[in-house]
Amino acid sequence: MEGTYGNLDPEESVYQTSTCNDSGSSSSKVRLYLEVIIFLGILNVLLLAGLIALGVHSRYLAAYLSNNPTNDTNDNPCATLKADLTEMVKKLPVSGGWNCSAAPQQFPAAQIDADRGMVVMTDKNSSAFFLSGSCWSKLGSVPLKHVSVGPAGIWGVDQQNKVYKFVASDFIPTRGLELKQVDAGGQGQVVGVAKGDTIHCLTANKASSIKEIINWTSGIAGFLIYISCAPTGCWGVNAQQSIFFTQISNSCVKPGNWIQVDGEAVNVEVGSDGNVFVVNRLGLLYERTGISDQVPQGTGWKKIEMSVKIKHASYDLGYMWLVTEEGFIVKCTK
């Protein structure tokens, strides 16, 4: 029987797999690994060569630029603006109680407004921005010529005099009236002037609504080209550059007529604390003096000496924000 079945050692497997296939499979795997390693090595060499070439090119480019400067202020607008800004800062006043310096720039600025710590502006390209730290960030996507911030929120008007309110992340159009200038700095109401210089007001309740259709109150007598309000009262200038003061409540009720004050101006801004500043047609800046609870319209004007012409001014929380005729932004404090 042993001769018939051969070796039936229980330690050996009766069924054995041929070792020829194992040898071939192992050799294929080894070759594949070697090919991958060689490919990666070649790739690394090519990348290293590319980096060396790029470094050499950058070195020669830097040497070329140093020998052929392109930062001449006549050909580089940014360098020209920086030089102009530096020259302007040298001329800013450090007298009359005001210390002024260059603010964060968004050149060329056109108009600026500040209220309760927030500062907004438009530039000459009709883009709106708000100040975030030391940088200006885009405010919505709607081109605007004038923007205002206050207890009623952020409002603006475009070149076609359409009125917008900032809701969530962008400006939405409102229907019912077209205005060439709007102000949100009152007691929650919004005021503005139309193309025919008529004066309009939106109650605080309606201003806080996000409904698209808005009915403005048009029962305010007088004609103005610019208006600005604070809880202490509203100021305006007319086409003849005369300056006026009155008080308009958040329900758009005006208790009395406009009181004309002395002086001439093309725009006026009143801060939340009642401080008033005007700019006249010559680009001169004035601060209203003698303002009190008993005499909210004040008693006189004090000229703030500036070596540059001012186009627009705003005031909030002890800071005065100015836009120069060239489009630079200046920040002043006492």
Side-chain angles (χ1 to χ4, degrees), residues 23-47:
S23 177
S25 176
S26 299
S27 299
S28 298
K29 291 180 180 178
V30 170
R31 283 196 300 272
L32 179 61
Y33 293 152
L34 289 175
E35 290 173 356
V36 171
I37 293 173
I38 293 172
F39 173 76
L40 292 176
I42 295 173
L43 182 60
N44 286 331
V45 171
L46 293 175
L47 290 174

PDB file of all heavy atoms in Angstrom, residues 23-47:
ATOM      1  N   SER A  23       6.969  33.046  -9.007  1.00  0.00           N
ATOM      2  CA  SER A  23       8.226  33.670  -9.409  1.00  0.00           C
ATOM      3  C   SER A  23       7.988  34.738 -10.465  1.00  0.00           C
ATOM      4  O   SER A  23       8.526  35.837 -10.415  1.00  0.00           O
ATOM      5  CB  SER A  23       9.178  32.590  -9.921  1.00  0.00           C
ATOM      6  OG  SER A  23      10.367  33.177 -10.377  1.00  0.00           O
ATOM      7  N   GLY A  24       7.091  34.430 -11.433  1.00  0.00           N
ATOM      8  CA  GLY A  24       6.817  35.409 -12.500  1.00  0.00           C
ATOM      9  C   GLY A  24       6.092  36.629 -11.970  1.00  0.00           C
ATOM     10  O   GLY A  24       6.383  37.751 -12.357  1.00  0.00           O
ATOM     11  N   SER A  25       5.125  36.423 -11.069  1.00  0.00           N
ATOM     12  CA  SER A  25       4.371  37.548 -10.506  1.00  0.00           C
ATOM     13  C   SER A  25       5.280  38.456  -9.691  1.00  0.00           C
ATOM     14  O   SER A  25       5.194  39.676  -9.766  1.00  0.00           O
ATOM     15  CB  SER A  25       3.233  37.023  -9.637  1.00  0.00           C
ATOM     16  OG  SER A  25       2.552  38.072  -9.013  1.00  0.00           O
ATOM     17  N   SER A  26       6.178  37.910  -8.915  1.00  0.00           N
ATOM     18  CA  SER A  26       7.097  38.711  -8.104  1.00  0.00           C
ATOM     19  C   SER A  26       8.006  39.539  -8.992  1.00  0.00           C
ATOM     20  O   SER A  26       8.277  40.710  -8.721  1.00  0.00           O
ATOM     21  CB  SER A  26       7.925  37.808  -7.188  1.00  0.00           C
ATOM     22  OG  SER A  26       7.076  37.098  -6.308  1.00  0.00           O
ATOM     23  N   SER A  27       8.471  38.951 -10.061  1.00  0.00           N
ATOM     24  CA  SER A  27       9.362  39.687 -10.973  1.00  0.00           C
ATOM     25  C   SER A  27       8.631  40.862 -11.611  1.00  0.00           C
ATOM     26  O   SER A  27       9.180  41.956 -11.760  1.00  0.00           O
ATOM     27  CB  SER A  27       9.880  38.742 -12.068  1.00  0.00           C
ATOM     28  OG  SER A  27      10.622  37.692 -11.500  1.00  0.00           O
ATOM     29  N   SER A  28       7.350  40.676 -11.968  1.00  0.00           N
ATOM     30  CA  SER A  28       6.570  41.762 -12.585  1.00  0.00           C
ATOM     31  C   SER A  28       6.391  42.910 -11.606  1.00  0.00           C
ATOM     32  O   SER A  28       6.479  44.082 -11.974  1.00  0.00           O
ATOM     33  CB  SER A  28       5.206  41.237 -13.044  1.00  0.00           C
ATOM     34  OG  SER A  28       5.362  40.244 -14.032  1.00  0.00           O
ATOM     35  N   LYS A  29       6.103  42.577 -10.351  1.00  0.00           N
ATOM     36  CA  LYS A  29       5.919  43.618  -9.336  1.00  0.00           C
ATOM     37  C   LYS A  29       7.206  44.399  -9.123  1.00  0.00           C
ATOM     38  O   LYS A  29       7.196  45.626  -8.999  1.00  0.00           O
ATOM     39  CB  LYS A  29       5.462  43.004  -8.025  1.00  0.00           C
ATOM     40  CG  LYS A  29       4.041  42.454  -8.079  1.00  0.00           C
ATOM     41  CD  LYS A  29       3.638  41.862  -6.747  1.00  0.00           C
ATOM     42  CE  LYS A  29       2.202  41.309  -6.786  1.00  0.00           C
ATOM     43  NZ  LYS A  29       1.816  40.698  -5.503  1.00  0.00           N
ATOM     44  N   VAL A  30       8.329  43.715  -9.087  1.00  0.00           N
ATOM     45  CA  VAL A  30       9.613  44.380  -8.882  1.00  0.00           C
ATOM     46  C   VAL A  30       9.899  45.348 -10.016  1.00  0.00           C
ATOM     47  O   VAL A  30      10.317  46.480  -9.817  1.00  0.00           O
ATOM     48  CB  VAL A  30      10.744  43.340  -8.757  1.00  0.00           C
ATOM     49  CG1 VAL A  30      12.122  44.028  -8.786  1.00  0.00           C
ATOM     50  CG2 VAL A  30      10.585  42.542  -7.467  1.00  0.00           C
ATOM     51  N   ARG A  31       9.625  44.872 -11.268  1.00  0.00           N
ATOM     52  CA  ARG A  31       9.850  45.749 -12.419  1.00  0.00           C
ATOM     53  C   ARG A  31       8.945  46.978 -12.354  1.00  0.00           C
ATOM     54  O   ARG A  31       9.356  48.094 -12.677  1.00  0.00           O
ATOM     55  CB  ARG A  31       9.599  44.967 -13.713  1.00  0.00           C
ATOM     56  CG  ARG A  31      10.736  44.020 -14.091  1.00  0.00           C
ATOM     57  CD  ARG A  31      10.612  43.595 -15.541  1.00  0.00           C
ATOM     58  NE  ARG A  31       9.356  42.908 -15.811  1.00  0.00           N
ATOM     59  CZ  ARG A  31       9.163  41.597 -15.671  1.00  0.00           C
ATOM     60  NH1 ARG A  31      10.180  40.829 -15.270  1.00  0.00           N
ATOM     61  NH2 ARG A  31       7.989  41.053 -15.929  1.00  0.00           N
ATOM     62  N   LEU A  32       7.675  46.800 -11.952  1.00  0.00           N
ATOM     63  CA  LEU A  32       6.742  47.916 -11.857  1.00  0.00           C
ATOM     64  C   LEU A  32       7.203  48.937 -10.824  1.00  0.00           C
ATOM     65  O   LEU A  32       7.182  50.151 -11.062  1.00  0.00           O
ATOM     66  CB  LEU A  32       5.348  47.398 -11.491  1.00  0.00           C
ATOM     67  CG  LEU A  32       4.253  48.474 -11.325  1.00  0.00           C
ATOM     68  CD1 LEU A  32       4.074  49.232 -12.649  1.00  0.00           C
ATOM     69  CD2 LEU A  32       2.941  47.829 -10.899  1.00  0.00           C
ATOM     70  N   TYR A  33       7.651  48.439  -9.665  1.00  0.00           N
ATOM     71  CA  TYR A  33       8.154  49.342  -8.634  1.00  0.00           C
ATOM     72  C   TYR A  33       9.356  50.131  -9.130  1.00  0.00           C
ATOM     73  O   TYR A  33       9.486  51.331  -8.904  1.00  0.00           O
ATOM     74  CB  TYR A  33       8.523  48.566  -7.377  1.00  0.00           C
ATOM     75  CG  TYR A  33       7.355  47.941  -6.664  1.00  0.00           C
ATOM     76  CD1 TYR A  33       7.497  46.789  -5.894  1.00  0.00           C
ATOM     77  CD2 TYR A  33       6.085  48.524  -6.763  1.00  0.00           C
ATOM     78  CE1 TYR A  33       6.413  46.225  -5.239  1.00  0.00           C
ATOM     79  CE2 TYR A  33       5.003  47.967  -6.120  1.00  0.00           C
ATOM     80  CZ  TYR A  33       5.158  46.809  -5.362  1.00  0.00           C
ATOM     81  OH  TYR A  33       4.094  46.239  -4.720  1.00  0.00           O
ATOM     82  N   LEU A  34      10.272  49.454  -9.818  1.00  0.00           N
ATOM     83  CA  LEU A  34      11.463  50.117 -10.339  1.00  0.00           C
ATOM     84  C   LEU A  34      11.085  51.199 -11.352  1.00  0.00           C
ATOM     85  O   LEU A  34      11.650  52.298 -11.361  1.00  0.00           O
ATOM     86  CB  LEU A  34      12.403  49.087 -10.978  1.00  0.00           C
ATOM     87  CG  LEU A  34      13.127  48.145 -10.007  1.00  0.00           C
ATOM     88  CD1 LEU A  34      13.929  47.105 -10.785  1.00  0.00           C
ATOM     89  CD2 LEU A  34      14.052  48.946  -9.090  1.00  0.00           C
ATOM     90  N   GLU A  35      10.113  50.893 -12.226  1.00  0.00           N
ATOM     91  CA  GLU A  35       9.687  51.877 -13.224  1.00  0.00           C
ATOM     92  C   GLU A  35       9.073  53.110 -12.565  1.00  0.00           C
ATOM     93  O   GLU A  35       9.318  54.244 -12.985  1.00  0.00           O
ATOM     94  CB  GLU A  35       8.685  51.235 -14.193  1.00  0.00           C
ATOM     95  CG  GLU A  35       9.320  50.195 -15.114  1.00  0.00           C
ATOM     96  CD  GLU A  35       8.273  49.452 -15.950  1.00  0.00           C
ATOM     97  OE1 GLU A  35       7.071  49.726 -15.724  1.00  0.00           O
ATOM     98  OE2 GLU A  35       8.658  48.650 -16.791  1.00  0.00           O
ATOM     99  N   VAL A  36       8.246  52.896 -11.518  1.00  0.00           N
ATOM    100  CA  VAL A  36       7.647  54.023 -10.808  1.00  0.00           C
ATOM    101  C   VAL A  36       8.715  54.877 -10.149  1.00  0.00           C
ATOM    102  O   VAL A  36       8.691  56.118 -10.214  1.00  0.00           O
ATOM    103  CB  VAL A  36       6.628  53.528  -9.756  1.00  0.00           C
ATOM    104  CG1 VAL A  36       6.177  54.676  -8.868  1.00  0.00           C
ATOM    105  CG2 VAL A  36       5.429  52.883 -10.445  1.00  0.00           C
ATOM    106  N   ILE A  37       9.683  54.233  -9.504  1.00  0.00           N
ATOM    107  CA  ILE A  37      10.759  54.964  -8.836  1.00  0.00           C
ATOM    108  C   ILE A  37      11.564  55.767  -9.840  1.00  0.00           C
ATOM    109  O   ILE A  37      11.892  56.952  -9.622  1.00  0.00           O
ATOM    110  CB  ILE A  37      11.662  53.992  -8.058  1.00  0.00           C
ATOM    111  CG1 ILE A  37      10.864  53.374  -6.876  1.00  0.00           C
ATOM    112  CG2 ILE A  37      12.919  54.696  -7.547  1.00  0.00           C
ATOM    113  CD1 ILE A  37      11.611  52.281  -6.155  1.00  0.00           C
ATOM    114  N   ILE A  38      11.884  55.148 -10.984  1.00  0.00           N
ATOM    115  CA  ILE A  38      12.656  55.851 -12.010  1.00  0.00           C
ATOM    116  C   ILE A  38      11.871  57.050 -12.548  1.00  0.00           C
ATOM    117  O   ILE A  38      12.410  58.138 -12.744  1.00  0.00           O
ATOM    118  CB  ILE A  38      13.022  54.884 -13.156  1.00  0.00           C
ATOM    119  CG1 ILE A  38      14.018  53.821 -12.630  1.00  0.00           C
ATOM    120  CG2 ILE A  38      13.620  55.634 -14.336  1.00  0.00           C
ATOM    121  CD1 ILE A  38      14.291  52.706 -13.628  1.00  0.00           C
ATOM    122  N   PHE A  39      10.541  56.865 -12.780  1.00  0.00           N
ATOM    123  CA  PHE A  39       9.699  57.952 -13.297  1.00  0.00           C
ATOM    124  C   PHE A  39       9.649  59.127 -12.323  1.00  0.00           C
ATOM    125  O   PHE A  39       9.791  60.294 -12.708  1.00  0.00           O
ATOM    126  CB  PHE A  39       8.283  57.431 -13.566  1.00  0.00           C
ATOM    127  CG  PHE A  39       7.307  58.512 -13.929  1.00  0.00           C
ATOM    128  CD1 PHE A  39       7.323  59.074 -15.198  1.00  0.00           C
ATOM    129  CD2 PHE A  39       6.394  58.976 -12.990  1.00  0.00           C
ATOM    130  CE1 PHE A  39       6.435  60.074 -15.524  1.00  0.00           C
ATOM    131  CE2 PHE A  39       5.501  59.980 -13.318  1.00  0.00           C
ATOM    132  CZ  PHE A  39       5.521  60.527 -14.593  1.00  0.00           C
ATOM    133  N   LEU A  40       9.468  58.803 -11.025  1.00  0.00           N
ATOM    134  CA  LEU A  40       9.425  59.870 -10.023  1.00  0.00           C
ATOM    135  C   LEU A  40      10.762  60.587  -9.926  1.00  0.00           C
ATOM    136  O   LEU A  40      10.817  61.805  -9.732  1.00  0.00           O
ATOM    137  CB  LEU A  40       9.026  59.297  -8.665  1.00  0.00           C
ATOM    138  CG  LEU A  40       7.580  58.768  -8.554  1.00  0.00           C
ATOM    139  CD1 LEU A  40       7.343  58.137  -7.188  1.00  0.00           C
ATOM    140  CD2 LEU A  40       6.592  59.905  -8.782  1.00  0.00           C
ATOM    141  N   GLY A  41      11.840  59.837 -10.051  1.00  0.00           N
ATOM    142  CA  GLY A  41      13.155  60.461 -10.017  1.00  0.00           C
ATOM    143  C   GLY A  41      13.347  61.434 -11.166  1.00  0.00           C
ATOM    144  O   GLY A  41      13.863  62.542 -10.986  1.00  0.00           O
ATOM    145  N   ILE A  42      12.946  60.999 -12.381  1.00  0.00           N
ATOM    146  CA  ILE A  42      13.060  61.893 -13.551  1.00  0.00           C
ATOM    147  C   ILE A  42      12.201  63.130 -13.362  1.00  0.00           C
ATOM    148  O   ILE A  42      12.614  64.252 -13.678  1.00  0.00           O
ATOM    149  CB  ILE A  42      12.652  61.133 -14.840  1.00  0.00           C
ATOM    150  CG1 ILE A  42      13.666  59.997 -15.114  1.00  0.00           C
ATOM    151  CG2 ILE A  42      12.579  62.084 -16.034  1.00  0.00           C
ATOM    152  CD1 ILE A  42      13.261  59.098 -16.266  1.00  0.00           C
ATOM    153  N   LEU A  43      10.979  62.935 -12.834  1.00  0.00           N
ATOM    154  CA  LEU A  43      10.072  64.066 -12.610  1.00  0.00           C
ATOM    155  C   LEU A  43      10.671  65.060 -11.623  1.00  0.00           C
ATOM    156  O   LEU A  43      10.604  66.283 -11.824  1.00  0.00           O
ATOM    157  CB  LEU A  43       8.724  63.560 -12.089  1.00  0.00           C
ATOM    158  CG  LEU A  43       7.637  64.615 -11.854  1.00  0.00           C
ATOM    159  CD1 LEU A  43       7.313  65.337 -13.155  1.00  0.00           C
ATOM    160  CD2 LEU A  43       6.385  63.980 -11.281  1.00  0.00           C
ATOM    161  N   ASN A  44      11.272  64.571 -10.562  1.00  0.00           N
ATOM    162  CA  ASN A  44      11.903  65.455  -9.587  1.00  0.00           C
ATOM    163  C   ASN A  44      13.053  66.240 -10.202  1.00  0.00           C
ATOM    164  O   ASN A  44      13.247  67.437  -9.915  1.00  0.00           O
ATOM    165  CB  ASN A  44      12.411  64.654  -8.387  1.00  0.00           C
ATOM    166  CG  ASN A  44      11.273  64.198  -7.477  1.00  0.00           C
ATOM    167  OD1 ASN A  44      10.248  64.866  -7.413  1.00  0.00           O
ATOM    168  ND2 ASN A  44      11.467  63.089  -6.778  1.00  0.00           N
ATOM    169  N   VAL A  45      13.840  65.569 -11.054  1.00  0.00           N
ATOM    170  CA  VAL A  45      14.953  66.250 -11.719  1.00  0.00           C
ATOM    171  C   VAL A  45      14.436  67.374 -12.610  1.00  0.00           C
ATOM    172  O   VAL A  45      14.974  68.476 -12.636  1.00  0.00           O
ATOM    173  CB  VAL A  45      15.774  65.237 -12.545  1.00  0.00           C
ATOM    174  CG1 VAL A  45      16.809  65.964 -13.418  1.00  0.00           C
ATOM    175  CG2 VAL A  45      16.491  64.261 -11.615  1.00  0.00           C
ATOM    176  N   LEU A  46      13.343  67.079 -13.366  1.00  0.00           N
ATOM    177  CA  LEU A  46      12.772  68.106 -14.241  1.00  0.00           C
ATOM    178  C   LEU A  46      12.240  69.293 -13.433  1.00  0.00           C
ATOM    179  O   LEU A  46      12.422  70.452 -13.821  1.00  0.00           O
ATOM    180  CB  LEU A  46      11.654  67.496 -15.090  1.00  0.00           C
ATOM    181  CG  LEU A  46      12.096  66.457 -16.139  1.00  0.00           C
ATOM    182  CD1 LEU A  46      10.875  65.839 -16.824  1.00  0.00           C
ATOM    183  CD2 LEU A  46      13.010  67.114 -17.180  1.00  0.00           C
ATOM    184  N   LEU A  47      11.549  69.008 -12.313  1.00  0.00           N
ATOM    185  CA  LEU A  47      11.036  70.089 -11.478  1.00  0.00           C
ATOM    186  C   LEU A  47      12.162  70.930 -10.901  1.00  0.00           C
ATOM    187  O   LEU A  47      12.078  72.161 -10.859  1.00  0.00           O
ATOM    188  CB  LEU A  47      10.169  69.517 -10.349  1.00  0.00           C
ATOM    189  CG  LEU A  47       8.811  68.923 -10.754  1.00  0.00           C
ATOM    190  CD1 LEU A  47       8.140  68.269  -9.566  1.00  0.00           C
ATOM    191  CD2 LEU A  47       7.914  70.016 -11.330  1.00  0.00           C
TER     192      LEU A  47
END
